[in-house]
Every structure is written in C-alpha cells, then in structure tokens.
Amino acid sequence: MGHVIRSVEKGSIADQLGIRQGDVLLKMNGERLLDWIDYQALSCSDHIVLLIERDGVQTEYDFEKDDYEPLGLAFENDMLDGLRLCLNKCLFCFVDQLPACARDSMRVKDDDWRLSLMMGNFVTMTNVGPRELDRIIRRHASPLYISVHATEPELRKKLLGNPRGGNIMEQLEKLAAGGVSFHAQAVLCPELNCGEALERTMSDLMGLYPACRSLALVPVGLTGHREGLESIRMFDRESARTVLRQAERVREKMLREYGTRFVFPSDELYLKAEMPLPEDEAYEDYEQIDNGIGLCRQLITEFEDAYMELPARLRREVKPRHSIAIATGVSAQPILKNLLDAHPVTGVEIKVYAITNHYFGETVTVAGLVTGGDLVAQMKDRPSEAILITECMIRSEDKRFLDNLLLTEAEAALERPIVPVGRRGDEFLDAIVRFAEI
C-alpha cells in the first residue's frame, strides 16, 4: 500500500526529480511507510531512495541531499492510518464525566503516541506493544509526553482500569536505553496515588533522568457528572500542601545534584494550597506549560515586563473613560484581579469576574472550560464596553465554545463585543491598552 501525492512544492527536490501530483510513494529507503512518523524520520537522511508508481509503472529515484532538507511532498491523507483510541477505563477519565449534552467530538478518547510526538498530547502507552515500542526507538521519537500517574504496577493497573498498565517502568526503561526522551505527568488522586505511592513514582522517574526530562503533578479534575463512577476525593488546602512539601524535597535534591528541579506541580495545586506561585526561574524552560505548569507565572511575568515598557502616560490612575470586563475561571480571578489592581492602565476601568461553571459543575474552576452559556448568563447584568476572555475558551477553527454556542451568538446575547485574547501576558496587556488609546 502506498501514499498518493497530493501536491509537489515548486522548486523542491521532488519537483526537480519530476515527481508529480497523483504519483504514489511506495517505499523510502527500502521501507514501506506506515505513517507520517516514518516519512519524517526517513526523509531526514542525506541519502534517499524513493520508489514511485505512476500509471502502474514503478520508478526508483536514488539521490543525495542535505540532512533534514525537505523533499517537498504533501499527501492526500494525513498518513496516520486512523486515530489510535484509548483502551483504558481510568478512574478519573474526564470524558466519562461529561454532561449528557456534550458534543460527540468531545467524547473521542485518543491515546496515540504519534500525536504525543507531534502535538504534545499525553498518552499512557498501554496500546503500544513490543514491536511498536521498537519502532518508536528506531525512529528516535523524542520527546514523548507520557501519563505515568503511578509506577507501582498494581496501583497503575487500578488507576487505568487496564491490566496492561502495570509494565510502564519496563517501557520507560527501554525508551531511555534507546535514547528516547519523554516528559511525564501524574494526575493525583488523594488517598490513591499520593503519599508513599507518589514518593515511589518520583523516585522511579528520577532514576530515569535525563531521559525523563520532567514530571508534572496535576490534581485530579472532577466534574459534577460522576454518577455511577468511583468516588474520588478532591484536593483541599492541606492535602495540596502535603503534595507540595513532598515535591519540594525532590526539587531541592534534583536542583542540587543535577541543576534541574525536575518535578513541577501545576498552578492549580498552588492555588488549592493557597500558597504563592514560584518565581519565574523556578519553571526553568516552561517545558510543561501546556499542562498548566507555570501558565499563571508566565502570564504575570510577561504582563509586568510589557507594562514597564508602556509610556508613562499609560501607567497613571486617572478618571476612567472606558470600562471593560474580564471573564475568567474561578481559579484565575484573584490572580488577574491582583495583577490589574497593581498595574493600572490610564483611562480604563477593569473589572475581573469569576464565571462559575454550571455546565461541568462548580468543582471545575479553570478558565479554559468556561462555556458560552455560563458566560452569557453570568455577564448579562454586568455592564461594560467589551468582555475579554482567554482564547482557550473557544475553538479557533469555528469560534465556538465547548457547549457549541458560537462567539457571535454570545456577543449578540450580551450586546457587546467579546474579545478572545492570547495566553501571553503581553497580548493581555495589548488588548487592554487598545481601549486606553481609543
């Protein structure tokens, strides 16, 4: 089975060789290609042999090129031979906690290591057998993002609801020996994988450093739709503080011995513990920021840096000419309010509102899961010229909230513009300054 070529970039190597749209790539360097991973890995070589079929006739192209120089081919399919779905029944699976009215696309459970490589998705590796693990190593697929949760075999089997979950350390050790690096995460459930279990998980993964580049600690997310599911306790202030104390001991040891803190608790753990966020340097390269690790600190740092570069005329408290509202999650509201109170923008009155999540349940407090319906219902009687929201609340392709409400529909209901803002602190400040300069 080959892959049909959709287009050939003009002036590229493939174009110069005479390869055309509609040709079929059968083999590269003697290997049939399973997917895009194979294509990317093999095309990085400086010596390429392509087997191309056109109108039933096969032609071999043998040529030299620079390392990593692209061939200029695009294909009719995504070369991922179908999405690899999740085989687990995790005790804390968020998909199983969705409201009945959630759209079907939200219910898809993927567990595809190829998306982990390309997009940073976390995967459990339970659907990766020995042959596929060997291919990961052969293709040098780094870095991967792996949901470990616990390294004790029986506990991990229980957490994932899958008997194949118990061999994670063997898989990780083989990846490390093969030169594949990875980031890990542990979604923590009080009384399940905390305490001694967490000590073992951190110790086992520390032993795989530097192949294991970091470990994120994330509190379990529980919605109000857990009927029929196992009872799991949420983190409170004391249990969150216990985890942070455990993590800090490891962070100090790793920093002293290897120059990295290695373990990175999520922002939500610090907020639940009612403890200050670490300073900017404590997040090092922010390698797990998409997992909620350092998102608040980075926003604060970027905002403050950008604020200091504003002209003095924009950094004075004067009678406001404009009023804007910021709608966010319950967790982020005090952080944003404190930040904006300390950094006034001339002529702009800013009020920060926490949107209670009735769609998923009030236990869900992150901004990215605020829905359009909750936004409209709770901002209806709160006047402002415009409402700023994080762009994480809406899908970029169709400007639709998680409950399927379109951004334009929410704006019509609230009779004012809703402005999605990027997650960077300087983008946040720029959005505010635009009102000051009107």
Coordinates of all heavy atoms in Angstrom, one line a residue, residues 45-81:
S45 N 17.3 11.7 6.2 CA 18.6 11.2 5.7 C 19.2 12.0 4.6 O 18.5 12.7 3.9 CB 18.4 9.7 5.3 OG 19.6 9.2 4.8
D46 N 20.6 11.9 4.4 CA 21.2 12.6 3.3 C 21.2 11.8 2.1 O 21.6 12.3 1.0 CB 22.6 13.1 3.7 CG 23.5 11.9 4.1 OD1 23.0 10.7 4.1 OD2 24.7 12.1 4.4
H47 N 20.9 10.5 2.2 CA 20.8 9.6 1.0 C 19.4 9.0 1.0 O 19.0 8.3 1.9 CB 21.9 8.5 1.1 CG 21.8 7.6 -0.1 ND1 22.1 6.2 0.0 CD2 21.5 7.8 -1.4 CE1 22.0 5.6 -1.2 NE2 21.6 6.6 -2.0
I48 N 18.7 9.3 -0.1 CA 17.3 8.9 -0.2 C 17.1 8.0 -1.5 O 17.6 8.3 -2.5 CB 16.3 10.1 -0.3 CG1 16.5 11.0 0.9 CG2 14.9 9.6 -0.5 CD1 16.0 10.4 2.2
V49 N 16.3 6.9 -1.3 CA 15.9 6.1 -2.4 C 14.4 6.0 -2.4 O 13.8 5.5 -1.4 CB 16.5 4.7 -2.4 CG1 16.0 3.9 -3.6 CG2 18.0 4.7 -2.4
L50 N 13.7 6.6 -3.3 CA 12.2 6.6 -3.4 C 11.8 5.6 -4.5 O 12.3 5.6 -5.6 CB 11.7 8.0 -3.8 CG 12.0 9.2 -2.8 CD1 11.4 10.4 -3.4 CD2 11.5 8.9 -1.4
L51 N 10.8 4.9 -4.1 CA 10.1 4.0 -5.1 C 8.7 4.6 -5.4 O 7.9 4.7 -4.5 CB 9.9 2.6 -4.6 CG 9.3 1.6 -5.6 CD1 10.2 1.5 -6.9 CD2 9.1 0.2 -5.0
I52 N 8.5 5.1 -6.6 CA 7.3 5.9 -7.0 C 6.6 5.1 -8.1 O 7.2 4.5 -9.0 CB 7.7 7.3 -7.5 CG1 8.4 8.1 -6.5 CG2 6.4 8.0 -8.0 CD1 7.5 8.5 -5.3
E53 N 5.3 5.1 -8.0 CA 4.5 4.4 -9.0 C 3.6 5.5 -9.7 O 3.0 6.3 -9.1 CB 3.6 3.3 -8.4 CG 2.7 2.6 -9.4 CD 1.9 1.5 -8.8 OE1 0.8 1.8 -8.3 OE2 2.4 0.3 -8.8
R54 N 3.6 5.4 -11.1 CA 2.8 6.3 -11.9 C 2.2 5.4 -13.0 O 2.9 4.8 -13.8 CB 3.6 7.4 -12.5 CG 2.8 8.4 -13.3 CD 3.7 9.4 -14.0 NE 4.4 10.2 -13.1 CZ 5.5 10.9 -13.4 NH1 5.9 10.9 -14.7 NH2 6.1 11.6 -12.5
D55 N 0.8 5.4 -13.0 CA 0.1 4.7 -14.1 C 0.6 3.2 -14.1 O 0.8 2.6 -15.2 CB 0.3 5.3 -15.4 CG -0.2 6.8 -15.5 OD1 -1.2 7.0 -14.8 OD2 0.3 7.6 -16.2
G56 N 0.8 2.6 -13.0 CA 1.2 1.2 -12.9 C 2.7 0.9 -13.2 O 3.1 -0.2 -13.0
V57 N 3.4 2.0 -13.5 CA 4.9 1.8 -13.7 C 5.6 2.3 -12.5 O 5.4 3.4 -12.0 CB 5.3 2.6 -15.0 CG1 6.8 2.4 -15.2 CG2 4.5 2.0 -16.2
Q58 N 6.6 1.5 -12.0 CA 7.4 1.8 -10.8 C 8.7 2.4 -11.3 O 9.4 1.8 -12.1 CB 7.6 0.6 -9.9 CG 6.3 0.1 -9.3 CD 6.5 -1.0 -8.3 OE1 7.6 -1.4 -8.0 NE2 5.4 -1.6 -7.9
T59 N 9.1 3.5 -10.6 CA 10.4 4.1 -10.9 C 11.1 4.4 -9.6 O 10.5 4.8 -8.6 CB 10.2 5.5 -11.6 OG1 9.4 5.3 -12.8 CG2 11.5 6.1 -12.0
E60 N 12.4 4.1 -9.6 CA 13.2 4.3 -8.4 C 14.1 5.6 -8.6 O 14.7 5.8 -9.6 CB 14.1 3.1 -8.1 CG 14.8 3.2 -6.8 CD 15.6 1.8 -6.5 OE1 16.7 1.7 -6.9 OE2 14.9 1.0 -5.9
Y61 N 14.1 6.5 -7.6 CA 14.9 7.7 -7.6 C 15.9 7.6 -6.5 O 15.5 7.5 -5.3 CB 14.0 8.9 -7.4 CG 12.9 9.1 -8.4 CD1 11.7 8.5 -8.4 CD2 13.2 10.0 -9.5 CE1 10.7 8.7 -9.3 CE2 12.2 10.2 -10.5 CZ 11.0 9.6 -10.4 OH 10.0 9.8 -11.4
D62 N 17.2 7.6 -6.8 CA 18.3 7.5 -5.9 C 19.1 8.8 -5.9 O 19.6 9.2 -7.0 CB 19.1 6.3 -6.3 CG 20.2 5.9 -5.2 OD1 20.7 6.9 -4.6 OD2 20.5 4.7 -5.1
F63 N 19.1 9.5 -4.8 CA 19.8 10.8 -4.8 C 20.3 11.2 -3.4 O 20.0 10.6 -2.4 CB 18.8 11.9 -5.2 CG 17.5 12.0 -4.4 CD1 17.4 12.8 -3.3 CD2 16.4 11.1 -4.7 CE1 16.2 12.9 -2.6 CE2 15.3 11.2 -3.9 CZ 15.2 12.1 -2.9
E64 N 21.2 12.2 -3.4 CA 21.8 12.7 -2.2 C 21.2 14.1 -1.9 O 20.8 14.8 -2.9 CB 23.3 12.9 -2.3 CG 24.0 11.6 -2.7 CD 24.2 10.7 -1.6 OE1 24.2 11.1 -0.4 OE2 24.3 9.5 -1.8
K65 N 21.1 14.5 -0.6 CA 20.6 15.8 -0.3 C 21.2 16.2 1.1 O 21.8 15.4 1.7 CB 19.0 15.8 -0.2 CG 18.4 15.0 0.9 CD 17.0 15.2 1.0 CE 16.4 14.6 2.2 NZ 16.8 15.1 3.5
D66 N 20.9 17.4 1.5 CA 21.4 17.8 2.8 C 20.5 17.2 3.9 O 19.3 16.9 3.7 CB 21.2 19.4 3.0 CG 22.2 20.1 2.1 OD1 23.2 19.5 1.7 OD2 21.9 21.3 1.7
D67 N 21.1 16.9 5.1 CA 20.3 16.4 6.2 C 19.2 17.3 6.5 O 19.3 18.6 6.5 CB 21.2 16.3 7.4 CG 22.2 15.2 7.4 OD1 22.1 14.3 6.5 OD2 23.2 15.2 8.2
Y68 N 18.0 16.7 6.7 CA 16.8 17.4 7.1 C 16.2 18.3 6.0 O 15.2 19.0 6.3 CB 17.0 18.2 8.4 CG 17.4 17.4 9.6 CD1 18.8 17.4 10.0 CD2 16.5 16.6 10.2 CE1 19.2 16.6 11.0 CE2 16.9 15.8 11.3 CZ 18.2 15.8 11.7 OH 18.6 15.0 12.7
E69 N 16.8 18.4 4.8 CA 16.2 19.2 3.7 C 14.9 18.5 3.3 O 14.9 17.3 3.0 CB 17.2 19.2 2.6 CG 16.7 20.1 1.4 CD 17.7 20.1 0.3 OE1 18.8 19.4 0.3 OE2 17.5 20.8 -0.7
P70 N 13.8 19.2 3.3 CA 12.5 18.6 2.9 C 12.5 18.2 1.5 O 13.1 18.8 0.6 CB 11.5 19.7 3.2 CG 12.3 21.0 3.2 CD 13.7 20.7 3.6
L71 N 11.7 17.2 1.2 CA 11.5 16.7 -0.2 C 10.5 17.5 -0.9 O 10.6 17.5 -2.2 CB 11.1 15.2 -0.2 CG 12.0 14.2 0.5 CD1 11.5 12.8 0.4 CD2 13.4 14.3 -0.1
G72 N 9.5 18.1 -0.2 CA 8.5 18.9 -0.9 C 7.3 18.2 -1.3 O 6.6 18.6 -2.2
L73 N 7.0 17.1 -0.6 CA 5.8 16.3 -0.9 C 4.7 16.5 0.1 O 5.0 16.6 1.3 CB 6.2 14.8 -0.9 CG 7.2 14.4 -2.0 CD1 7.5 12.9 -1.8 CD2 6.6 14.6 -3.4
A74 N 3.5 16.6 -0.3 CA 2.3 16.5 0.5 C 1.4 15.4 0.0 O 1.4 15.1 -1.1 CB 1.6 17.9 0.5
F75 N 0.7 14.8 1.0 CA -0.1 13.6 0.7 C -1.6 13.8 0.8 O -2.0 14.6 1.6 CB 0.4 12.4 1.5 CG 1.9 12.1 1.3 CD1 2.9 12.7 2.0 CD2 2.3 11.2 0.3 CE1 4.2 12.5 1.8 CE2 3.6 11.0 0.1 CZ 4.6 11.6 0.9
E76 N -2.4 12.9 0.1 CA -3.8 13.0 0.2 C -4.4 12.8 1.5 O -5.4 13.3 1.9 CB -4.5 12.1 -0.9 CG -4.3 12.7 -2.3 CD -5.2 11.9 -3.3 OE1 -5.8 10.9 -2.9 OE2 -5.3 12.3 -4.5
N77 N -3.8 11.9 2.3 CA -4.3 11.6 3.6 C -3.2 12.1 4.6 O -2.1 12.5 4.2 CB -4.6 10.1 3.8 CG -3.4 9.2 3.6 OD1 -2.3 9.5 4.0 ND2 -3.6 8.1 2.9
D78 N -3.5 12.0 5.9 CA -2.6 12.5 6.9 C -1.5 11.5 7.3 O -0.7 11.7 8.1 CB -3.3 13.0 8.2 CG -4.1 11.9 8.8 OD1 -4.0 10.7 8.4 OD2 -4.9 12.2 9.7
M79 N -1.6 10.3 6.6 CA -0.6 9.2 6.8 C -0.5 8.8 8.3 O 0.5 8.4 8.8 CB 0.8 9.7 6.4 CG 1.0 9.8 4.9 SD 2.6 10.3 4.4 CE 3.5 8.7 4.7
L80 N -1.7 8.8 9.0 CA -1.7 8.4 10.3 C -2.5 7.1 10.5 O -2.8 6.7 11.6 CB -2.2 9.5 11.3 CG -1.2 10.5 11.6 CD1 -1.8 11.5 12.6 CD2 0.1 10.0 12.2
D81 N -3.0 6.5 9.4 CA -3.7 5.2 9.3 C -4.8 5.1 10.4 O -4.9 4.0 11.0 CB -2.8 4.0 9.3 CG -2.0 3.8 10.6 OD1 -2.1 4.6 11.5 OD2 -1.2 2.8 10.6

